[in-house]
Amino acid sequence: MKTIFKRFIALINKMQPTQVMVLGFASVILIGALLLNLPIATQSGESIGFIDALFTSTSAVCVTGLIMADTATYWNGFGHVVIILLIQIGGLGFMTITTLFALITKKRINLKERLLIQESLNQFDLSGLVKLTRYVLLMTFTIEGIGALILSTVFIPQFGLLKGTWYSIFHAISAFCNAGFDLMGPVSGKFTSLTYYVNNFTVSVTISLLIIFGGLGFPVILDIIKNRKLSKLNLHSKIVLITTVSLILVGMLLILVLEYNNPKTIGKLGFGGKMLASFFQSVTTRTAGFNTVNLTAMHENSLFIMIILMFIGASPASTGGGVKVTTIATLVLTVKSFILGKEDIEVGSRRIGTSIVRKSLGIFLIGIIVVLSGTIIITITDPSFSLIEAGFEVVSAFATVGLSLGGSPNLSTLGKIFIMLFMFMGRVGSLTIFMAIMSRKTKNNPPIRYPEGKIIVG
């Protein structure tokens, strides 16, 4: 046994950081699936079945929120604890959790582990990574704690001290990690999310702010804490903040206009309630997975807007998914530069390098290919899903959102497997997975530059 363990460690040490990341997330998902598959995790005392347990574990670790069974009414206390721990690990990243244990045990963090932290937090260099990880952990627990405290002002009077406190902690973690799991089944019915609180300002705004903070990314939050003024922030933070605010406001206004007179969604609410519900639905597309209105009753044009917003997603090094706001911002700036006939891509007295543009283009195109091919696959494996339902489900999975129209429990076994793959790709990063698969040593790829070829485009 000792020999096998040594060989396994030696194999890990030979892997590239991207490969270890993929293996690490897959291992956490498998452990979670084994725990959730146990009869002691359900209220009925019966196993949910390995495929559904694996789906739930994948959704939790990938902080998505797509579920096979109503979280509150199907799982018991043990199941809820397992799910929320998987969400916390998935939101922070398994390397951040590993670093936490290393800091607690005062274990020295070697170069290999620093490279993994660098890949996990999407950083450019190795300097200050352990310090950054400390800040990430401190920020996470502080923001979640404040969120839980505010939510407790609603949940404790409604559910009592113990249950209200647990509900506050669970939903604060789920919201900040952009997971979308909820415990409101006994309150408003199975699979109803937070529709009971559509008019509740405290719950809607608190959950929304937790989602936004989780989706901004840890480097941006640190930059805001350090510099406080927009003018002093670095370029990355400025682009993330401007793009995020713009998308939330545009999404909110479009949903408000399109759903204004829809009696099945926000039509019967007062103007303030309509604004609040529209704001929440726009924010939740930051890859959170909560909803305060019945999504199946929304107009198709509203759902299409939500698909676009979900696909864009949150920010790099955050708890959210999607192709990321900086990817879209980079591509928009590239097109702007092309239209203006500029040689360089410029923003805020800075020039964006071609390597970033190439990476953005790669991420965007891979995302488009995955979503389009995934939508076709789901319409084949699950003919009962309409095109909009299949597309919504695939984008929701790939962008790790967790919203659903057709109902994830209605998926066939093959459909569940594909949705799990999309969730995994969305959380780990499709580009990271492809790099892990195609990874080779640099020495095996000597630099060769071929003569330039001419292609007519446009």
Side-chain angles (χ1 to χ4, degrees):
M1 190 71 178
K2 192 175 182 180
T3 306
I4 295 174
F5 181 74
K6 285 183 178 180
R7 287 180 180 177
F8 178 73
I9 296 298
L11 180 63
I12 293 293
N13 290 331
K14 290 179 182 179
M15 289 182 175
Q16 298 295 317
T18 51
Q19 293 173 322
V20 177
M21 270 191 65
V22 172
L23 181 63
F25 269 102
S27 300
V28 174
I29 289 170
L30 182 59
I31 293 169
L34 293 173
L35 291 173
L36 291 175
N37 194 42
L38 297 173
I40 59 171
T42 67
Q43 292 197 18
S44 64
E46 297 178 358
S47 173
I48 192 174
F50 184 72
I51 291 294
D52 287 350
L54 183 63
F55 189 99
T56 306
S57 179
T58 303
S59 183
V61 175
C62 297
V63 290
T64 305
L66 295 174
I67 51 177
M68 288 292 100
D70 181 68
T71 306
T73 56
Y74 186 83
W75 305 101
N76 59 18
F78 175 77
H80 292 158
V81 171
V82 170
I83 287 171
I84 203 64
L85 286 176
L86 292 175
I87 290 171
Q88 189 73 86
I89 293 170
L92 287 171
F94 82 99
M95 273 313 301
T96 306
I97 299 297
T98 303
T99 306
L100 171 62
F101 285 114
L103 293 172
I104 292 172
T105 58
K106 297 182 179 180
K107 175 182 174 293
R108 184 177 178 82
I109 299 171
N110 58 34
L111 179 60
K112 180 76 174 181
E113 290 165 337
R114 288 174 187 270
L115 287 169
L116 289 169
I117 296 170
Q118 180 189 22
E119 187 69 33
S120 178
L121 294 176
N122 210 0
Q123 296 299 293
F124 296 108
D125 52 59
L126 289 171
S127 60
L129 285 178
V130 177
K131 187 177 181 181
L132 174 61
T133 305
R134 287 196 186 101
Y135 281 131
V136 166
L137 292 166
L138 180 62
M139 278 190 302
T140 298
F141 298 138
T142 300
I143 294 173
E144 289 174 349
I146 293 172
L149 191 62
I150 297 172
L151 289 174
S152 68
T153 61
V154 175
F155 292 154
I156 289 179
Q158 183 177 358
F159 301 111
L161 181 60
L162 291 178
K163 190 175 181 180
T165 301
W166 170 239
Y167 269 44
S168 302
I169 294 171
F170 187 98
H171 291 93
I173 295 173
S174 184
F176 180 75
C177 291
N178 282 208
F181 282 79
D182 69 89
L183 299 177
M184 295 302 167
V187 179
S188 51
K190 297 179 181 179
F191 306 105
T192 54
S193 191
L194 300 177
T195 52
Y196 181 83
Y197 300 97
V198 63
N199 256 327
N200 190 299
F201 183 85
T202 302
V203 172
S204 294
V205 172
T206 302
I207 294 292
S208 296
L209 289 176
L210 286 168
I211 292 167
I212 292 169
F213 278 119
L216 284 177
F218 300 113
V220 175
I221 298 175
L222 276 174
D223 196 22
I224 293 171
I225 294 172
K226 183 179 178 181
N227 294 303
R228 298 184 181 181
K229 292 184 179 180
L230 182 64
S231 58
K232 293 183 179 180
L233 300 179
N234 61 44
L235 180 62
H236 171 79
S237 299
K238 289 178 181 177
I239 290 176
V240 166
L241 289 172
I242 292 170
T243 309
T244 298
V245 171
S246 300
L247 289 171
I248 290 174
L249 291 177
V250 169
M252 172 187 168
L253 291 174
L254 287 173
I255 292 171
L256 178 65
V257 171
L258 294 172
E259 297 293 321
Y260 195 87
N261 292 317
N262 186 349
K264 296 180 181 179
T265 55
I266 66 173
K268 294 182 178 179
L269 301 175
F271 183 74
K274 291 178 180 180
M275 291 282 288
L276 184 63
S278 301
F279 171 72
F280 190 93
Q281 262 49 239
S282 180
V283 169
T284 200
T285 59
R286 315 310 306 153
T287 83
F290 293 107
N291 58 283
T292 57
V293 300
N294 182 6
L295 298 182
T296 59
M298 294 181 75
H299 297 310
E300 284 196 351
N301 45 15
S302 301
L303 296 174
F304 187 70
I305 295 297
M306 293 183 74
I307 287 175
I308 295 173
L309 293 172
M310 288 192 298
F311 180 76
I312 296 172
S315 311
S318 73
T319 60
V323 295
K324 304 296 190 288
V325 293
T326 47
T327 299
I328 299 301
T330 300
L331 294 179
V332 170
L333 291 169
T334 302
V335 173
K336 178 186 174 184
S337 177
F338 168 74
I339 292 172
L340 297 177
K342 292 186 177 182
E343 186 70 25
D344 294 327
I345 301 163
E346 300 169 349
V347 56
S349 302
R350 292 290 186 274
R351 176 173 55 86
I352 297 177
T354 54
S355 61
I356 295 175
V357 175
R358 288 170 61 193
K359 185 176 180 180
S360 298
L361 185 60
I363 292 170
F364 181 78
L365 287 179
I366 290 172
I368 290 291
I369 292 169
V370 170
V371 166
L372 292 179
S373 58
T375 301
I376 294 170
I377 290 169
I378 295 302
T379 55
I380 294 171
T381 61
D382 296 83
S384 61
F385 277 59
S386 66
L387 189 62
I388 189 74
E389 289 173 342
F392 200 95
E393 193 84 11
V394 170
V395 174
S396 182
F398 178 71
T400 69
V401 182
L403 300 174
S404 180
L405 296 177
S408 299
N410 298 325
L411 287 165
S412 63
T413 301
L414 193 56
K416 292 174 185 177
I417 292 171
F418 277 109
I419 292 297
M420 280 190 277
L421 289 174
F422 298 144
M423 286 191 287
F424 188 74
M425 289 179 70
R427 182 63 186 106
V428 179
S430 51
L431 194 62
T432 300
I433 293 175
F434 288 132
M435 287 172 65
I437 295 170
M438 304 298 291
S439 183
R440 295 179 181 177
K441 299 289 184 180
T442 307
K443 63 182 180 181
N444 294 332
N445 293 284
I448 298 174
R449 201 169 194 192
Y450 295 102
E452 183 178 343
K454 302 294 183 180
I455 300 176
I456 300 173
V457 296

